Amino acid sequence: MQKISDMTFSDYTKKNPHFQVLSIIISPETPMSALIAMEPDDLLEATPIPYKLMMTMFLKQVIDGAKQIEAKKNFLSPPSTTTLQFQQQITSVTAKGFSSSNKIAIDELAAAITNKEQDSSVQLILLDLSWNGLQDIDIQYVKKIFDHVKPKILDLSGNRFHGLQGKWSKAPSEENPLDKCIIEILNTAECVNISANPIASLDRDDFFANIEKNHPEFWKKLIWIPNPGWVTAGAWKCLVANEESQAIVKNTHDEYYSKPRRP
């Protein structure tokens, strides 16, 4: 897929014809890289009043988005950084070419982050990859990022991780690629939030059975109930039969939801 920065304005408007009206202001042969480098206010000031709204949309969706992507690709945690927040800013590798222009694919983000040397003196508290529509195929890139930056907390809530292929094939949860990655992450993380994902549901009772049987210590780390009201209601207990484990699950979630959600 051709990068926006490698296109001309004409190339871009062929794929996004609603911006063609701006050709009266921007020459079709203008490189998009030159537009990205310009000050947005300069472009807006040169735009006749009838086209200012469309130009504002162009600047917001295209120019600002491209700058965000470039910033992520040049990522390097400064010494003061204790959080990396990419909520609703990235997309699954399956959505390449279909997602909005201001998002970066998870594999590209993983490559950008792992190509930078991590400052070992910095303890990353939170890696937030929530609400990005990530799917099972993306967990390998999540793992690469996690292994590189080593956060205490990994937030994967609100994605599309399910791991149902393993259940349908009758393979043990330990052999399911998604489950395996999450378990490996739980071995070193202090907390992993998988709430509001299909894996955190009755459809994946085998995942929870595996935790109870082989990794009961993970009940102190795993967040899978999406809000404190649901914790209190207790319907989740059908997935955790052991009463001692139920108490641990409740305490873990109560503590998680009692603290500020972002360090």
Side-chain angles (χ1 to χ4, degrees), residues 6-232:
D6 294 336
M7 297 180 182
T8 63
F9 182 68
S10 177
D11 295 332
Y12 186 80
T13 55
K14 287 175 184 176
K15 297 183 177 182
N16 301 271
H18 50 288
F19 287 129
Q20 286 179 351
V21 66
L22 297 178
S23 295
I24 66 165
I25 305 146
I26 304 172
S27 169
E29 300 309 313
T30 303
M32 290 295 290
S33 58
L35 294 174
I36 293 168
M38 290 182 66
E39 288 295 328
D41 289 347
D42 293 342
L43 272 173
L44 198 58
E45 186 177 346
T47 304
I49 290 176
Y51 303 99
K52 282 190 182 293
L53 180 58
M54 185 60 73
M55 180 61 81
T56 300
M57 292 174 59
F58 176 74
L59 293 172
K60 181 68 176 176
Q61 295 180 19
V62 182
I63 307 303
D64 288 355
K67 287 180 178 178
Q68 288 178 23
I69 290 173
E70 194 61 30
K72 290 181 178 66
K73 288 184 177 179
N74 292 329
F75 161 83
L76 179 61
S77 295
S80 61
T81 294
T82 57
T83 65
L84 282 179
Q85 299 192 37
F86 295 103
Q87 184 184 82
Q88 296 183 322
Q89 296 180 51
I90 58 179
T91 187
S92 169
V93 293
T94 63
K96 279 189 172 184
F98 299 98
S99 60
S100 63
S101 59
N102 64 345
K103 292 188 176 182
I104 183 172
I106 182 69
D107 60 332
E108 295 173 353
L109 182 65
I113 289 177
T114 56
N115 283 337
K116 298 289 186 180
E117 184 176 350
Q118 182 69 8
D119 186 348
S120 60
S121 67
V122 177
Q123 173 60 68
L124 189 69
I125 303 300
L126 171 68
L127 172 60
D128 185 353
L129 300 175
S130 63
W131 299 98
N132 286 304
L134 300 179
Q135 302 179 36
D136 288 12
I137 193 174
D138 302 310
I139 195 65
Q140 59 185 305
Y141 304 110
V142 171
K143 183 70 162 51
K144 286 181 180 179
I145 297 172
F146 176 85
D147 287 344
H148 188 73
V149 300
K150 299 177 175 61
K152 290 184 177 181
I153 303 169
L154 173 62
D155 191 344
L156 296 176
S157 60
N159 285 294
R160 299 176 184 171
F161 295 118
H162 56 75
L164 284 171
Q165 300 97 325
K167 185 172 183 179
W168 292 333
S169 68
K170 306 299 183 183
S173 178
E174 290 280 356
E175 298 177 12
N176 184 319
L178 176 69
D179 295 17
K180 185 177 180 181
C181 269
I182 291 176
I183 287 168
E184 288 176 356
I185 290 170
L186 281 164
N187 274 318
T188 54
E190 292 185 7
C191 177
V192 179
N193 187 340
I194 60 168
S195 64
N197 279 277
I199 190 174
S201 71
L202 189 59
D203 284 341
R204 287 303 319 276
D205 55 352
D206 61 316
F207 172 73
F208 293 97
N210 178 45
I211 296 292
E212 177 63 34
K213 179 181 178 181
N214 298 309
H215 308 281
E217 69 277 11
F218 290 165
W219 293 133
K220 295 181 179 180
K221 298 182 174 187
L222 187 65
I223 299 299
W224 51 279
I225 306 168
N227 65 65
W230 289 22
V231 177
T232 303

